[in-house]
Amino acid sequence: MIDLIDVSFQYGNGTEALHDINLRINNGEFAFIVGSSGAGKSSILKLLLRETLATSGQVIVNGFDLNRLKPSQVPKFRRSIGVVFQDFRLIPDMTVYENVAFSLRVTDRPVKEIRRRVPEMLELMNLKHKARQHPYELSGGEQQRVALARALVNDPPLIIADEPTGNIDPEFSYEIVELLQRINREHKTTLLMVTHEHEMVKYFGGRTVNIEQGNIVFDDYIVGSKDEESR
Ligand code: ADP
């Protein structure tokens, strides 16, 4: 669960990037955070990942109160979130298989578990045939699917996707969002997707949090045009 209570955030130069934000995302929800450039999306993400601390207010993520988190607890907290980035951040000299396995190796999981989980994830993301390839041999959409497999393989309660379709051809962008929705549905993973692509959000619909100039200007469920078409 994510709970932001009366959260404000100012940069060192005095810019108030977030103003008195209140936002709760319950376990199992799928939510879009949408806003134009400069709205405050990256600032919210930095707070949620504890890359920075709120100037005032409370930020609670997966039961961790981030303003009070001891430095020694930070690695445990970070492992409770799977993060997917706009630029994929795969390790270039590792194969697809190794990129996903690495995420389990760093937490010292048994070899048996790695041999079982990695193929499962690759199958789920329809990447089994790419297991021995390197990231540079894949399309943007395929690379993002590897990043999704890597985020999901530890079975985190929360996945945060930061502009996951930003570097993908539009025709494959929708496929990535559909995969995120599937992960949310089938694995009960709470999913937060941050994007500036308003049109995409209108197409899918669902919980939509619109942030502009550091304020939440809309937070409600919208019917996606994809569902309207099929009525
Ligand atoms: P978004 O991710 O939606 O584009 P940001 O969270 O990056 O928006 O920015 C919110 C506001 O904070 C903007 O006014 C931006 O100019 C400002 N800002 C972002 N980063 C910094 C920084 N490092 N120092 C000062 N101001 C910043």
Side-chain angles (χ1 to χ4, degrees):
M1 190 185 76
I2 292 174
D3 210 359
L4 301 183
I5 305 162
D6 299 332
V7 169
S8 295
F9 177 64
Q10 266 182 12
Y11 283 98
N13 66 359
T15 304
E16 191 175 47
L18 298 171
H19 178 71
D20 206 13
I21 297 280
N22 282 285
L23 175 66
R24 172 179 284 198
I25 295 167
N26 288 315
N27 289 341
E29 273 198 88
F30 187 112
F32 287 110
I33 291 191
V34 62
S36 318
S37 176
K41 303 181 300 296
S42 309
S43 303
I44 287 199
L45 283 176
K46 283 181 197 160
L47 292 178
L48 294 178
L49 299 173
R50 203 192 173 273
E51 289 173 11
T52 189
L53 293 177
T55 312
S56 62
Q58 240 183 327
V59 180
I60 298 169
V61 181
N62 293 341
F64 295 87
D65 183 342
L66 298 193
N67 281 44
R68 295 173 176 212
L69 199 64
K70 294 196 191 94
S72 62
Q73 291 177 304
V74 171
K76 187 173 175 215
F77 162 67
R78 293 255 167 83
R79 283 199 297 275
S80 75
I81 307 177
V83 190
V84 176
F85 302 96
Q86 178 172 2
D87 57 358
F88 322 129
R89 301 201 193 173
L90 301 173
I91 302 170
D93 54 3
M94 283 187 186
T95 63
V96 165
Y97 184 99
E98 288 300 324
N99 265 279
V100 179
F102 185 68
S103 177
L104 291 169
R105 292 211 170 98
V106 290
T107 52
D108 284 332
R109 304 283 265 277
V111 173
K112 224 172 130 185
E113 186 184 339
I114 296 176
R115 289 200 183 131
R116 181 177 54 84
R117 289 284 289 164
V118 176
E120 256 176 37
M121 288 300 118
L122 294 180
E123 171 97 62
L124 188 70
M125 295 299 151
N126 196 14
L127 282 168
K128 236 177 169 171
H129 56 300
K130 302 282 181 186
R132 288 164 190 272
Q133 307 219 10
H134 286 80
Y136 56 82
E137 298 171 286
L138 306 180
S139 72
E142 286 165 344
Q143 289 186 62
Q144 197 57 296
R145 274 155 42 207
V146 179
L148 274 178
R150 180 182 60 183
L152 191 62
V153 75
N154 279 307
D155 210 13
L158 170 67
I159 289 183
I160 293 179
D162 180 12
E163 299 275 2
T165 59
N167 279 324
I168 294 173
D169 293 340
E171 64 209 276
F172 298 114
S173 291
Y174 287 71
E175 182 187 291
I176 292 295
V177 182
E178 279 159 7
L179 275 171
L180 290 169
Q181 291 190 325
R182 194 173 147 202
I183 290 169
N184 164 257
R185 237 184 3 254
E186 293 179 8
H187 295 257
K188 313 276 179 256
T189 314
T190 310
L191 233 146
L192 186 65
M193 171 169 158
V194 176
T195 181
H196 69 278
E197 294 180 62
H198 287 85
E199 287 309 315
M200 175 178 281
V201 174
K202 283 184 197 151
Y203 173 78
F204 284 101
R207 170 106 181 251
T208 303
V209 179
N210 187 1
I211 164 165
E212 292 302 340
Q213 296 182 336
N215 295 288
I216 291 179
V217 295
F218 179 89
D219 179 2
D220 210 340
Y221 294 85
I222 60 175
V223 177
S225 55
K226 96 183 180 351
D227 296 325
E228 274 175 350
E229 280 163 18
S230 61
R231 274 186 186 175

